[in-house]
Amino acid sequence: MIPAAFDYKRAGSAEEAISLVGEYGEDAKFLAGGHSLLPLMKLRLAQPAVLIDIGRLSDLSYIRDAGDHIAIGALTRHMDIEQSPLLGQHVPLLAHAASHVGDPQVRHRGTIGGSIAHADPASDLPATTLALGATYIVQGPTGTREIPAAEFYLGFLESALAADEIVTEIRVPKMNGAGWNFQKFNRRAQDWAIVGVAAWRRGNESGIGLVNMGSTPILAVSVSAAIASGAAIDDAAKLAATDAEPQADLNASIEYRTHLAQVLVRRALTAAS
Amino acid sequence: MSITEERRAAVIGTPMLRREDPALLTGEAKFTNDIPIPGALYLGVLRSPYAHAKILSVDVSAAMAFPGVVAAYGGADLTALWAAPMPCAWPVTADMKNPPHYPVAVDKACYAGDAVAVVLANDDRVAHDALELIDVRYEALPAVIDLEEALSDRVVIHAGAGTNKAYTWDLKCESHEGAVDEAFAAATHHVKERYIQQRLLPMFMEPRACAAVPQPFGGDMTLYSSTQIPHILKVMTALTLGIPEQQMRVVAPAVGGGFGGKLNVYAEELLCVALSRKLGVPVRWNEERAENAMSTIHGRGQIQDIELAADADGKLTAVRVRLIADMGAYLQLVTPGVPLLGAFLYAGVYDLPVAYDFSCTSVFTTMTPTDAYRGAGRPEATYAIERAMDSLAAKLGIDPLELRKRNFIRKDQYPYTAFSGLTYDSGDHLAAAEKAAELVGYEALRAQQATQNVDAGTKRLGIGVSSYFEMCGLAPSRVLASLNYSAGGWEAATVRILATNKIQVVTGATPHGQGHVTSWSMIVADKLGVAPEDVDVLHSDTAISPLGLDTYGSRSLVVGGVAIAMACDRVIDKARKIAAHQLEAAPEDLDFIDGTFSVKGSPDRATPLAAIAFAAFTAHDLPEGVEPNLEAHVTYDPPNFSWPFGTHICVVEVDTETGHVDILKYVAVDDCGVQINPMIVDGQVHGGVVQGLAQALYEVASYDENGNLRNGSLAEYLVPAASDVPSVTTGHTVTPSPTNLLGVKGIGEAGTIGAAPAVINAVVDALSGLGVTDMMMPASPMTVWNTIKAAQAGSTTGGK
Ligand SMILES: Cc1cc2nc3c(=O)[nH]c(=O)nc-3n(C[C@H](O)[C@H](O)[C@H](O)COP(=O)(O)OP(=O)(O)OC[C@H]3O[C@@H](n4cnc5c(N)ncnc54)[C@H](O)[C@@H]3O)c2cc1C
């Protein structure tokens, strides 16, 4: 539980963070809330030579009404998302999903930007923002670009983010009164989901994000297509794993995980309808 | 009960706040790793990544060259340090195989986690970095994970033993030869079940830590260790390292949990002392969580085959048990004895004719050694009989609670001589069961269940009953001798009244969370008529408390606490002589009430204990033949075990679509005899129940086929947290033990013993309408779902 030796730099701004990463290259890692990175370092599964602490970039911690969407700064903590009245009003699914992340300590330290950058398929916020059709704003040495959530996740802990890019903002469309539901199936309250479902529905329109159903967060497009074409929820939910590639682990076989996804998607859509 | 006779305002029986808690809650308590030891070297231990491998070579040169490293050794470099192999104190049979086990393996690693090399560095981090530089060449050998496969001896782990079988131990009790077979032949009902006790990790919150500190002069050595057993550790360190015992001192600072996991003599403790002696500097070690999962003992690990014979009414007529117990790679301190602690309990709290046939075969595997874990043998036994009783009830088509009532040993049969010849001290099983049924609302729940568990329902209600016995208060030394245990079961106590009437108590029981300081001062307060705050309880340091046998097996109060009460009585006897001398009365004419001696019938002729204490200290005017000072030392060897009992009832709702088990209600009615501090009793029950339901629903040390532990972190090994467990409703009946001065029985393990079968009985009960008759532990959602599916498909159930 003792990490390998590393250097520590604190960035005063996003620009400084980017230039520091440019300076140290491959060996450097951003440190936000540290709640994904530090556990890996303690197990010596990650051994970055330099940590660039962006945890104090308070100008990247905000939740703003931006018209058709809510703009969330990447350094916003899970607890602030959970408790935000603005999100509660316009994107209640995200606020609620944030309340299911880990335990209170984790939610006070962990950041939405860190969660998205880490691209863990078992994390709650990547799949939820994916279901909501969010866009991520990232900044690099040559400027800023927008990456739709649907194009961001490339593989297990792998994303479209370059090593010298920083996530600065998450833009989440307002839900405009859509019905929604979040299902997190786990064995202990503080654990990652064995399977999770973030779903919203407005008439025949829907978005369904699956947690821990593959090497990336999964958008269950087949289910949404079935709903769009008027299928009953029970039938649509049977397609829950069609777009997924579930893996087996100690908690779930592929068969069980597939079954869980079907049950939880059915429950989520029923509650959201 | 002399206490209530002699004192009106009793402290005993009140929920006094624990005296040890402020220091623990404010972070003031000092754990081993908190102790500053200038100049100490840090030990790092390299562990085998293979479950079973020949060690071809160990090259420490790169580690030695690493800045900050002082020394590095392979196992072969250290053999001269060991006067004897690591100790096993319980050679249960004369022909038991006990393969030599050294702190660092020399030729062969026998489990993933077995130490193969060590480094000493001036910093903990450096030690860990340097471990990565040690080059060990292995030749991998096949892992032996399955107990029945191990018994086949296809792969023999310890060549010197020639077999993987460690021993077979039998307990056959028959009224006449053939009684068991006859009972089975004549039985109307016959139940035969196989249960698996999965391996568990103790997962105490403070990982192990130790530090060996040589004294500047005289060659003496102090070992600080996060241990439950400083006294036993002192003897064993002396024997294993060839150190004269009087030169060893062992101190257990604040200890953050043990549950049996710190009831051992570990390689790292011996390494710290041996290397500190070799190099003449302090050596310390802090366990990491991942190391803890691999190198601290595991609990449970048994295959249980149990058969019950019963007559037409469901009265038990015989019990037959065949166990296979997983020893792991080596025998640790009491590894082989754990199944024996349960051996007497496979008939539970039931009145059984003398027709009992128990046999345990224990086997080596290439996994971490097992040893005592909360309940040690008794939760396993209780699980088997209580699960089998439910199967029997199902066979008879009667309510499981009713079946138990038909079989309970009746109150009027106590003291009860059991089939084994052991005497059960006191009990009222029916009262405890009826109280539990009333608290949980048993009748109403059964009615609700009938309407809820309909064919289409996906939320099924289940009610599980478990009536348990705990054989504790370890232990009468003569009985331990008959079981071949290498030590006694006594406990030592000293009570000393200081000149200012403050009390110093020395106990040989070693607390690590149980609240000994609070309970002991309550006992002394009532005995001597002082406030509990006036009592200082000294413990856990062999220099201060030279005699003791420490804390495990729910023994501290029943043996150590009773010793304290006896020492108080001896001090009072002495004080009475001095008081009689002062009051010019005969000692037997004096009352001693609320801390004051007075002449019977003339209460104004009185003198407080404080005055006697001072008189004993000045010694100016003592009666003939009475020595100065008020002090008594007692070593108490209990005449019998004590037998706490109770009934737990668990109510669950099972989601048949996901397999999720929700505990709706949990009622625990425990009878531990007289309660010194009911708040501590409830705390022990709550924690114990959670540990038991953790086995039922959450925890398993999961190995892959290569013998690697797959879930050694707290993220994967599912210790339930507060948010995951139900609030436990506790109830109590009080049946004092007639065999000790305080009437106490012990409560440390009861919750764990009662809980697992209550939970699994409830889960099976919920699903019985779907054809489910058994459920593997832990009943994880996937296991439950798979079991339902298999039952529906008509195959055998249980998820096996
Ligand atoms: C006990 C525990 C339980 C948890 N349970 C859950 C759970 O149930 N559900 C869940 O979703 N999560 C859970 N988490 C993870 C938690 O939500 C993390 O906080 C989150 O995933 C990562 O955020 P962070 O700010 O801590 O990132 P860090 O750990 O600081 O960083 C993670 C990775 O992202 C990179 N990074 C961080 N911020 C940025 C950025 N702005 N731009 C570019 N790269 C960046 C880092 O370099 C690093 O590689 C748990 C964590 C713990 C410790």
Side-chain angles (χ1 to χ4, degrees):
Chain A
M1 301 292 129
I2 301 178
F6 58 87
D7 269 348
Y8 173 87
K9 307 276 173 200
R10 186 186 298 157
S13 66
E15 290 71 27
E16 190 188 347
I18 292 162
S19 88
L20 280 168
V21 153
E23 196 175 316
Y24 295 103
E26 291 277 286
D27 291 341
K29 272 268 176 205
F30 295 122
L31 175 71
H35 270 48
S36 290
L37 184 53
L38 295 184
L40 292 177
M41 289 172 61
K42 285 184 170 188
L43 294 169
R44 298 198 168 197
L45 294 173
Q47 304 201 357
V50 186
L51 284 187
I52 296 160
D53 188 356
I54 57 172
R56 300 197 195 187
L57 302 186
S58 49
D59 52 336
L60 288 185
S61 175
Y62 55 83
I63 300 170
R64 284 186 204 127
D65 192 330
D68 63 344
H69 67 268
I70 303 293
I72 305 170
L75 266 295
T76 309
R77 314 272 165 184
H78 305 321
M79 191 59 90
D80 294 325
I81 291 174
E82 173 186 345
Q83 293 178 344
S84 157
L86 201 57
L87 285 171
Q89 189 185 346
H90 295 293
V91 199
L93 173 56
L94 181 62
H96 181 77
S99 77
H100 282 270
V101 173
D103 53 39
Q105 286 98 317
V106 173
R107 297 199 289 278
H108 277 285
R109 291 297 307 166
T111 66
I112 184 168
S115 183
I116 280 158
H118 195 55
D120 185 342
S123 284
D124 299 310
L125 303 188
T128 303
T129 51
L130 182 62
L132 288 165
T135 302
Y136 309 144
I137 312 302
V138 309
Q139 190 180 331
T142 57
T144 295
R145 59 185 183 125
E146 297 185 11
I147 310 177
E151 293 165 22
F152 186 78
Y153 301 103
L154 303 181
F156 183 68
L157 306 185
E158 240 182 88
S159 72
L161 196 66
D164 56 359
E165 282 181 318
I166 189 168
V167 178
T168 55
E169 188 174 284
I170 291 88
R171 293 184 184 161
V172 197
K174 291 183 178 173
M175 292 174 66
N176 297 324
W180 59 274
N181 188 256
F182 185 75
Q183 297 278 330
K184 182 168 181 174
F185 191 81
N186 55 12
R187 292 181 63 187
R188 298 179 302 181
Q190 80 266 31
D191 285 334
W192 274 267
I194 295 173
V195 176
V197 177
W200 61 268
R201 179 174 184 179
R202 197 185 307 103
N204 282 347
E205 251 188 293
S206 65
I208 298 142
L210 303 179
V211 180
N212 211 4
M213 280 297 287
S215 54
T216 63
I218 303 288
L219 198 58
V221 288
S222 302
V223 179
S224 290
I227 294 287
S229 64
I233 288 175
D234 282 9
D235 296 327
K238 296 206 175 90
L239 305 173
T242 306
D243 305 293
E245 18 153 328
Q247 312 279 311
D249 60 23
L250 284 180
N251 288 318
S253 61
I254 292 173
E255 187 196 7
Y256 177 59
R257 204 166 239 129
T258 302
H259 166 80
L260 270 184
Q262 292 166 347
V263 172
L264 299 178
V265 165
R266 191 196 77 220
R267 289 181 182 178
L269 281 176
T270 305
S273 298
Chain B
M1 276 257 339
S2 51
I3 278 184
T4 39
E5 283 159 25
E6 290 189 342
R7 183 166 164 78
R8 283 172 300 236
V11 184
I12 287 182
T14 63
M16 195 178 101
L17 288 180
R18 299 202 323 168
R19 296 181 62 199
E20 22 304 74
D21 286 344
L24 290 168
L25 294 173
T26 57
E28 221 172 84
K30 293 281 176 276
F31 295 83
T32 300
N33 191 25
D34 295 328
I35 300 170
I37 303 173
L41 296 178
Y42 285 80
L43 175 74
V45 182
L46 186 68
R47 300 182 185 282
S48 168
Y50 294 100
H52 194 195
K54 256 191 218 155
I55 299 169
L56 302 178
S57 64
V58 179
D59 180 356
V60 298
S61 53
M64 283 294 287
F66 192 72
V69 170
V70 173
Y73 307 99
D77 306 326
L78 298 173
T79 48
L81 297 179
W82 321 125
M86 290 182 46
C88 170
W90 205 334
V92 294
T93 61
D95 62 353
M96 182 186 83
K97 301 284 188 294
N98 182 15
H101 176 202
Y102 289 95
V104 182
V106 179
D107 304 319
K108 214 178 157 186
C110 294
Y111 65 98
D114 210 353
V116 293
V118 298
V119 296
L120 291 171
N122 53 24
D123 179 285
D124 215 356
R125 189 185 57 77
V126 171
H128 282 87
D129 286 347
L131 286 179
E132 295 181 0
L133 302 175
I134 297 178
D135 186 17
V136 182
R137 297 274 149 84
Y138 299 95
E139 179 188 323
L141 298 167
V144 183
I145 302 307
D146 181 83
L147 304 193
E148 289 175 306
E149 170 65 24
L151 275 181
S152 78
D153 279 341
R154 268 186 283 271
V155 175
V156 173
I157 302 162
H158 300 287
T163 171
N164 293 328
K165 195 181 101 176
Y167 67 85
T168 293
W169 188 90
D170 299 324
L171 177 67
K172 192 162 190 180
C173 309
E174 294 189 313
S175 52
H176 57 275
E177 198 167 330
V180 170
D181 287 344
E182 286 165 25
F184 274 98
T188 314
H189 300 286
H190 181 185
V191 165
K192 187 170 198 296
E193 300 286 349
R194 166 167 282 207
Y195 303 117
I196 310 292
Q197 293 288 327
Q198 78 272 33
R199 270 180 175 249
L200 301 176
L201 310 182
M203 276 296 178
F204 34 76
M205 285 298 106
E206 183 213 8
R208 291 188 292 122
C210 54
V213 184
Q215 299 310 301
F217 310 103
D220 287 7
M221 174 66 73
T222 301
L223 173 64
Y224 297 91
S225 184
S226 180
T227 180
Q228 295 172 227
I229 52 161
H231 296 90
I232 296 171
L233 185 55
K234 182 194 69 167
V235 177
M236 292 302 181
T237 319
L239 289 175
T240 312
L241 300 178
I243 300 174
E245 189 188 342
Q246 77 280 11
Q247 290 177 11
M248 260 321 288
R249 171 186 175 204
V250 179
V251 182
V255 174
F259 312 115
K262 291 174 182 170
L263 194 195
N264 230 304
V265 177
Y266 281 108
E268 297 82 4
E269 291 167 323
L270 298 171
L271 279 163
C272 281
V273 174
L275 292 170
S276 171
R277 281 196 349 137
K278 183 177 162 81
L279 302 177
V281 291
V283 174
R284 71 190 308 171
W285 174 76
N286 296 313
E287 186 179 52
E288 297 198 326
R289 181 58 68 185
E291 278 186 294
N292 174 273
M294 291 192 294
S295 65
T296 286
I297 61 98
H298 294 179
R300 317 282 187 259
Q302 295 182 353
I303 298 174
Q304 309 172 297
D305 288 314
I306 181 167
E307 283 179 82
L308 307 182
D311 67 16
D313 295 329
K315 275 278 295 161
L316 294 181
T317 53
V319 173
R320 188 186 283 136
V321 177
R322 294 290 175 269
L323 279 195
I324 306 175
D326 179 359
M327 303 283 94
Y330 306 101
L331 303 180
Q332 285 272 355
L333 190 62
V334 299
T335 304
V338 171
L340 275 60
L341 288 170
F344 299 86
L345 289 178
Y346 281 82
V349 288
Y350 308 117
D351 184 23
L352 183 77
V354 185
Y356 186 85
D357 176 9
F358 170 96
S359 176
C360 171
T361 294
S362 290
V363 62
F364 293 107
T365 57
T366 58
M367 296 184 280
T368 301
T370 60
D371 208 315
Y373 172 60
R374 201 169 188 173
R378 292 151 293 168
E380 296 93 315
T382 305
Y383 184 83
I385 179 65
E386 287 306 285
R387 285 285 303 116
M389 285 299 275
D390 266 32
S391 292
L392 180 57
K395 278 239 156 95
L396 274 109
I398 65 170
D399 186 282
L401 186 57
E402 169 59 24
L403 179 71
R404 286 171 172 78
K405 289 180 180 174
R406 288 183 194 177
N407 279 284
F408 282 148
I409 299 166
R410 293 188 320 277
K411 187 181 176 185
D412 61 26
Q413 290 175 283
Y414 277 100
Y416 176 84
T417 303
F419 59 87
S420 56
L422 289 173
T423 303
Y424 303 163
D425 56 356
S426 63
D428 188 350
H429 307 287
L430 184 61
E434 285 181 335
K435 185 158 191 179
E438 186 195 314
L439 282 172
V440 82
Y442 193 80
E443 296 303 325
L445 281 167
R446 285 288 177 208
Q448 184 191 337
Q449 186 180 37
T451 56
Q452 185 174 334
N453 292 8
V454 291
D455 280 351
T458 58
K459 297 277 171 68
R460 289 187 176 244
L461 192 68
I463 305 150
V465 179
S466 140
S467 295
Y468 73 89
F469 235 153
E470 175 180 2
M471 174 181 154
C472 73
L474 304 181
S477 297
R478 267 170 308 171
V479 179
L480 290 178
S482 73
L483 296 173
N484 259 7
Y485 184 59
S486 310
W490 49 263
E491 196 46 83
T494 302
V495 170
R496 197 177 285 142
I497 306 185
L498 305 177
T500 55
N501 202 34
K502 302 296 180 198
I503 319 297
Q504 215 170 41
V505 168
V506 185
T507 180
T510 303
H512 44 284
Q514 296 86 350
H516 291 26
V517 170
T518 302
S519 299
W520 283 205
S521 42
M522 291 171 79
I523 293 168
V524 173
D526 271 6
K527 279 283 185 190
L528 301 182
V530 297
E533 303 75 56
D534 289 339
V535 183
D536 191 17
V537 181
L538 304 173
H539 56 79
S540 306
D541 179 343
T542 62
I544 293 171
S545 141
L547 297 176
L549 287 172
D550 304 312
T551 290
Y552 42 84
S554 306
R555 70 185 301 272
S556 289
L557 179 61
V558 190
V559 193
V562 170
I564 296 287
M566 292 169 75
C568 286
D569 283 344
R570 285 210 199 151
V571 169
I572 294 167
D573 281 349
K574 181 169 180 185
R576 187 186 299 273
K577 287 187 190 133
I578 301 171
H581 175 69
Q582 288 188 352
L583 295 169
E584 295 176 346
E588 55 277 15
D589 287 342
L590 295 189
D591 281 332
F592 180 62
I593 299 171
D594 282 348
T596 299
F597 288 101
S598 61
V599 179
K600 285 194 174 98
S602 34
D604 48 327
R605 281 179 65 202
T607 181
L609 183 62
I612 306 299
F614 197 70
F617 167 71
T618 61
H620 292 174
D621 180 22
L622 297 178
E624 238 354 86
V626 172
E627 288 176 7
N629 289 316
L630 290 177
E631 180 184 67
H633 178 76
V634 166
T635 304
Y636 170 61
D637 198 346
N640 190 0
F641 295 95
S642 63
W643 301 85
F645 61 91
T647 289
H648 290 197
I649 301 182
C650 177
V651 184
V652 300
E653 192 170 77
V654 182
D655 180 338
T656 56
E657 283 191 299
T658 61
H660 173 75
V661 174
D662 192 14
I663 299 185
L664 303 179
K665 270 191 194 178
Y666 195 102
V667 168
V669 173
D670 297 281
D671 191 324
C672 57
V674 172
Q675 301 187 3
I676 302 299
N677 184 327
M679 190 189 64
I680 289 181
V681 170
D682 275 350
Q684 288 292 325
V685 171
H686 282 255
V689 165
V690 169
Q691 229 155 353
L693 73 83
Q695 174 173 15
L697 297 180
Y698 291 99
E699 299 182 10
V700 56
S702 176
Y703 278 85
D704 68 17
E705 62 198 20
N706 297 320
N708 293 307
L709 183 63
R710 292 186 290 190
N711 58 346
S713 78
L714 278 166
E716 296 150 313
Y717 186 83
L718 303 180
V719 179
S723 42
D724 307 307
V725 297
S727 80
V728 175
T729 305
T730 54
H732 300 281
T733 57
V734 176
T735 311
S737 172
T739 63
N740 67 60
L741 184 62
L742 294 173
V744 295
K745 288 192 166 189
I747 194 67
E749 295 160 301
T752 312
I753 293 170
V759 175
I760 296 297
N761 280 344
V763 173
V764 173
D765 182 56
L767 301 176
S768 62
L770 300 174
V772 170
T773 58
D774 194 16
M775 184 64 64
M776 282 279 275
M777 294 191 290
S780 72
M782 178 167 63
T783 298
V784 172
W785 184 73
N786 280 335
T787 307
I788 294 171
K789 233 172 31 140
Q792 300 260 279
S795 56
T796 52
T797 74
K800 285 168 191 162

